[in-house]
Amino acid sequence: MLAFARNWENAIASAEFSGIVGDRAHARTGGYHISREDQPGWNYSVQLPEDKRGASNWASAVDMSMNAADMRLVTSRLLASAKDPHDPRLDPVREFFGTLDGRTVTGWDCYHGRPSSSDTSHLWHVHVSFLRQHADNAAALAAVLDVILGKPATGAPPTPTPQPQPSYPAWPGRHLSYTPGRATMNGQDVRTWQQRMSARGWSIGVDGWYGPQSASVCRAFQSEKSLGVDGIVGPITWAAAWTAPVT
């Protein structure tokens, strides 16, 4: 389980129900149970603007196993808070599924404010997914847990602490690498990184193709900046190209 699921499991450990269901079986179909960067292809869980923000390597959903009575109780609490009057503590939630009668699945799309449906596996566990920008917001997760536990609202919904935006291009979301014998990676992201390295004074072709020269420059740069030397432009190496002092 990724950090999101671990945090949630710790949060409910002392509740009257427990048990997080989370594995990598979803890697074949995608969804909020796996990170944005691990999606196998086009997927609804990475399309909303709020899902394109936040940590790219965090999962953003949990399945909570519990007995039938608790399932019905938790589902009813979530549904009551989602409908009018809407409980703002559920603003971070993308959707949830459970059952009220043990025979039919009840779900709600919190983002669009309408009922939703899913498969019958949700007759045995309650699913809650969060907009990805909130996956690492502990205060937001705790507020939703209060709804699940039946605690009344006490004030304004928690909001993430604003983070300063980086003054450099965002990491493109893929690791730039070169492997002899394999197709050479190319694209505007490669060109952007090459242009930056060239501007820093490195002798590198700016052609959008991540070949042996780019990999060699990357390794030399990583060594100079005391980064892990692997010749791969991941998020740390990418950021360092703009933030590390020029020497």
Side-chain angles (χ1 to χ4, degrees):
M1 291 185 293
L2 295 177
F4 171 84
R6 286 198 301 270
N7 286 355
W8 189 266
E9 188 169 37
N10 291 337
I12 72 168
S14 60
E16 64 265 25
F17 46 81
S18 185
I20 297 297
V21 180
D23 56 35
R24 298 194 66 79
H26 294 85
R28 294 188 299 272
T29 57
Y32 287 96
H33 280 289
I34 61 176
S35 68
R36 185 168 63 240
E37 64 188 39
D38 288 333
Q39 297 301 321
W42 185 95
N43 187 275
Y44 81 107
S45 75
V46 294
Q47 300 305 310
L48 295 174
E50 294 85 352
D51 288 328
K52 295 178 181 179
R53 297 192 287 268
S56 66
N57 63 337
W58 280 55
S60 190
V62 289
D63 290 339
M64 296 176 286
S65 63
M66 59 192 75
N67 61 45
D70 278 340
M71 272 202 68
R72 297 170 189 178
L73 177 62
V74 168
T75 304
S76 66
R77 286 171 176 170
L78 287 169
L79 194 61
S81 291
K83 291 184 174 182
D84 292 333
H86 171 76
D87 188 334
R89 290 177 295 176
L90 291 189
D91 287 347
V93 173
R94 173 64 172 87
E95 60 191 354
F96 62 82
F97 301 105
T99 183
L100 295 173
D101 57 13
R103 298 185 302 274
T104 57
V105 174
T106 296
W108 193 266
D109 182 338
C110 295
Y111 186 82
H112 295 102
R114 63 194 182 197
S116 187
S117 60
S118 190
D119 60 81
T120 56
S121 69
H122 299 97
L123 296 176
W124 293 278
H125 64 259
V126 175
H127 166 97
V128 180
S129 60
F130 292 77
L131 295 165
R132 294 184 182 277
Q133 74 175 44
H134 296 292
D136 57 352
N137 178 10
L141 304 188
V144 175
L145 182 61
D146 283 348
V147 173
I148 290 174
L149 297 178
K151 297 181 180 180
T154 57
T159 56
T161 301
Q163 299 295 319
Q165 296 299 310
S167 58
Y168 56 85
W171 180 58
R174 65 169 181 164
H175 292 76
L176 308 182
S177 63
Y178 169 74
T179 303
R182 295 187 179 180
T184 303
M185 298 180 69
N186 74 294
Q188 184 57 46
D189 51 354
V190 177
R191 182 183 295 275
T192 298
W193 180 80
Q194 291 171 332
Q195 288 174 334
R196 177 58 181 172
M197 297 306 290
S198 177
R200 291 181 65 104
W202 293 89
S203 178
I204 185 172
V206 181
D207 57 5
W209 292 87
Y210 196 86
Q213 182 194 52
S214 292
S216 177
V217 169
C218 178
R219 285 191 292 269
F221 175 71
Q222 290 171 329
S223 177
E224 178 184 286
K225 303 306 177 188
S226 300
L227 305 174
V229 180
D230 56 11
I232 298 174
V233 182
I236 295 176
T237 299
W238 178 279
W242 277 269
T243 61
V246 177
T247 56

